[in-house]
Amino acid sequence: MKAMSKQKGAVLIISLVLLLVMTLLGLSSMQSTSLEERMAGNERHANVAFQAAEAALRAGEGWLNGQNSAPDDAADGSSTVWTLDAPELMPATPSSSDPWWKEWDDTGWATYGTVYTGTLSLASDINLNNARPRFVIEQIGVVSDGSLTIGTQNDFGGRSFYQVTSRGTDVSGRIQVLLRSTYARRY
């Protein structure tokens, strides 16, 4: 009985402190796991947006490649090919000094961009019907292949240069990816 009266409950206090430390470690690891899961989800959404923009970019280049003759450009994009920097004027009153492809919002791309109608080889649970990727083609100009030999006629053809800009978004529309390429074609 005398040995029991000398115990002051040290084991109970030590076990409660250890339980508190283990609880804090568990909470910390749960928060870390939750953060990593959100980061992985955001990376997936960014990847979906990039793949959509890449598909639209290739579709614009494919459209140019499929033409039998050089398409005419138009300031309003009515021929699918815009005059260089003409999209800057759509809408007619630009709100900033940013280039048009940074300034256009969802409405601008939906109104003036050409819709990519192909299938996207993304995960089967992704439905981009409300956020289809789009592209805009601008004609940069033609570089002649004319001869530099003195006394010869320079009636040779040349290469037409185009600038293709595409926009892809994730399903929610929160993440957007803009891609741009320069495409040359001899007609």
Side-chain angles (χ1 to χ4, degrees), residues 146-157:
S147 171
L148 296 177
T149 307
I150 297 175
T152 60
Q153 187 174 355
N154 291 328
D155 288 341
F156 300 105

Side-chain angles (χ1 to χ4, degrees), residues 103-126:
E103 188 174 312
W104 278 8
D105 58 3
D106 293 340
T107 306
W109 279 99
T111 304
Y112 304 114
T114 303
V115 177
Y116 170 70
T117 56
T119 34
L120 297 172
S121 58
L122 305 173
S124 60
D125 61 333
I126 297 172

Side-chain angles (χ1 to χ4, degrees), residues 34-169:
S34 175
L35 176 65
E36 289 173 3
E37 187 175 329
R38 285 195 310 264
M39 287 170 44
N42 286 341
E43 181 65 30
R44 179 175 181 267
H45 289 302
N47 188 25
V48 167
F50 178 80
Q51 289 181 38
E54 180 75 17
L57 187 73
R58 297 297 168 232
E61 292 172 350
W63 184 88
L64 285 168
N65 194 42
Q67 301 302 304
N68 294 327
S69 61
D72 294 329
D73 60 322
D76 62 355
S78 58
S79 67
T80 307
V81 178
W82 292 71
T83 305
L84 185 63
D85 293 330
E88 189 74 41
L89 304 175
M90 303 292 176
T93 54
S95 60
S96 72
S97 61
D98 287 338
W100 67 267
W101 45 273
K102 282 186 177 179
E103 188 174 312
W104 278 8
D105 58 3
D106 293 340
T107 306
W109 279 99
T111 304
Y112 304 114
T114 303
V115 177
Y116 170 70
T117 56
T119 34
L120 297 172
S121 58
L122 305 173
S124 60
D125 61 333
I126 297 172
N127 180 2
L128 291 176
N129 288 335
N130 296 329
R132 298 296 302 177
R134 298 173 187 275
F135 64 89
V136 170
I137 301 171
E138 296 173 272
Q139 183 174 22
I140 296 174
V142 178
V143 175
S144 175
D145 290 338
S147 171
L148 296 177
T149 307
I150 297 175
T152 60
Q153 187 174 355
N154 291 328
D155 288 341
F156 300 105
R159 290 177 294 165
S160 298
F161 284 83
Y162 301 93
Q163 185 168 270
V164 182
T165 307
S166 67
R167 177 183 186 253
T169 61

